[in-house]
Amino acid sequence: MKYTILPLLAMLSAFTWSSSKPIVVVTNNWTSQIVLSHVYGAMLGSKGIPVSYLPSKVSEQWGALSHGVAHVQLEVWEGTMNQAFNRLTANGSIQNMGDHEAKTREDWWYPDYVEALCPGLPDWRALKRCASKFARKEGGKGIYVAGPWEKPDEARIRALELGFQTQPVENGDDLWFELKVAYHKRLPIVLFNWSPNWVESRYDGKFVEFPNYAEACETDASWGVNPDFLYDCGNPKGGWLRKAAWPGLRSLSSCAFDLLKVMSFTNAQIADAAAYVDVDRMSHQDAAQAWMKKNKIVWQAWLKVCES
Ligand code: TMO
């Protein structure tokens, strides 16, 4: 009797320990990332696994994920996070959990009517010629409305001699406010945008075509149109969108680990997830529920990895 109960008790206590410790999911400050996080959390919830959410800036999430303060990140974007991600996976601080099917782009973007005000767009050289049209004061430089995420835009402006300056917004949502205001008055505007995002389903517009991205553009000044400066190129087109985890995730919950591995969203699925909030004004939780209702077959197939 003794010999059978002891291992059983050990198993039970291990079980209660791991099931009472929540899986901590990082949430960032743009919509799709938060909704996808809640989809993942709801799926774990349906298996009785507790989940909590840790709001974090991109720049602060890496430490949390390396130290097990947070365990899961659903959206790592190549255009904004490539360097940190590569460094931290190379030294084993975080774990690469594979790519989504979606292909991404993050760059300068404008609504289509701007082409009539600045002929030659989307070629970046057109932007350079008509920089002054994007100024917001007499004789000023053109204004690029940047997101609250760190990007080397100032370096690019210098390297490509664009005659612009960045004006970063405080919250991601402020980008859409700026767009809406400019759009209704048909004012020149160029701002940070990305794909997949809900914006492409409501506004016609394009990304500015800068010289094609190459890794050397960011490491070798002699590369590209300006031999003296780095960053004389655009961000990657068709970039990856990746999942990441604290390296101890599997020991915490194999379901949480396997599920994260197998989850893969398409561009349309991500744009949809964002539209529930940014267009339909749902909460992130409700948007996750709405998404799951519409895509039942998709997520139930993923969740099969948790059946054993
Ligand atoms: C990381 N983001 C999607 C806001 O470019």
Side-chain angles (χ1 to χ4, degrees):
M1 207 51 192
K2 224 180 192 169
Y3 298 104
T4 52
I5 279 177
L6 272 180
L8 190 66
L9 282 178
M11 266 172 60
L12 276 175
S13 67
F15 175 75
T16 46
W17 178 80
S18 65
S19 67
S20 61
K21 199 168 173 200
I23 304 298
V24 181
V25 181
V26 171
T27 53
N28 297 132
N29 52 351
W30 65 94
T31 305
S32 65
Q33 197 278 347
I34 306 174
V35 177
L36 265 53
S37 297
H38 281 280
V39 169
Y40 175 75
M43 290 169 73
L44 290 185
S46 77
K47 291 288 174 187
I49 297 168
V51 173
S52 70
Y53 300 93
L54 181 70
S56 171
K57 285 184 174 179
V58 167
S59 55
E60 285 157 13
Q61 71 186 7
W62 308 117
L65 286 164
S66 308
H67 294 105
V69 174
H71 308 132
V72 170
Q73 164 57 275
L74 268 297
E75 282 191 16
V76 179
W77 289 62
E78 180 174 6
T80 33
M81 296 167 228
N82 180 34
Q83 284 177 354
F85 182 85
N86 287 342
R87 184 164 41 79
L88 292 166
T89 47
N91 71 18
S93 300
I94 61 171
Q95 187 164 354
N96 180 348
M97 295 297 284
D99 290 359
H100 292 286
E101 193 179 320
K103 290 292 171 221
T104 60
R105 190 165 179 188
E106 303 159 90
D107 224 322
W108 294 32
W109 185 96
Y110 61 86
D112 274 346
Y113 67 83
V114 173
E115 288 183 355
L117 309 169
C118 183
L121 281 175
D123 190 302
W124 66 277
R125 282 160 291 207
L127 204 58
K128 180 171 168 166
R129 282 193 301 271
C130 51
S132 63
K133 291 193 185 158
F134 294 83
R136 295 192 177 183
K137 59 171 195 261
E138 265 304 301
K141 291 182 172 168
I143 296 295
Y144 165 64
V145 183
W149 306 282
E150 286 152 55
K151 301 274 328 161
D153 289 305
E154 292 292 352
R156 180 194 286 170
I157 287 169
R158 185 179 53 207
L160 294 177
E161 299 169 358
L162 286 173
F164 269 75
Q165 70 185 67
T166 63
Q167 185 173 299
V169 296
E170 210 151 303
N171 303 298
D173 276 353
D174 298 337
L175 289 169
W176 319 134
F177 179 74
E178 292 267 353
L179 173 59
K180 197 172 171 181
V181 169
Y183 196 88
H184 284 297
K185 298 181 185 162
R186 293 291 191 268
L187 294 173
I189 184 170
V190 58
L191 73 163
F192 183 65
N193 189 12
W194 59 89
S195 176
N197 192 3
W198 66 274
V199 172
E200 59 208 297
S201 69
R202 298 298 158 118
Y203 291 95
D204 294 320
K206 292 186 188 71
F207 287 104
V208 174
E209 297 294 342
F210 290 109
N212 281 335
Y213 172 84
E215 232 169 80
C217 172
E218 297 183 354
T219 55
D220 175 6
S222 71
W223 181 96
V225 294
N226 187 329
D228 299 322
F229 287 114
L230 300 175
Y231 294 107
D232 43 353
C233 64
N235 292 331
K237 307 171 195 177
W240 44 252
L241 183 66
R242 194 161 282 172
K243 301 156 289 177
W246 171 55
L249 177 63
R250 182 178 237 153
S251 66
L252 218 51
S253 161
S254 58
C255 168
F257 181 90
D258 293 342
L259 181 60
L260 184 62
K261 260 233 139 123
V262 80
M263 282 173 81
S264 169
F265 288 78
T266 65
N267 285 61
Q269 288 166 349
I270 291 172
D272 258 5
Y276 286 126
V277 175
D278 291 325
V279 181
D280 302 331
R281 296 284 143 207
M282 289 184 194
S283 69
H284 296 109
Q285 287 89 334
D286 288 352
Q289 290 304 320
W291 191 94
M292 290 173 81
K293 202 170 165 194
K294 185 173 164 189
N295 296 277
K296 213 164 190 162
I297 294 168
V298 175
W299 66 264
Q300 285 184 344
W302 294 338
L303 202 52
K304 286 211 164 74
V305 296
C306 291
E307 288 163 14
S308 50

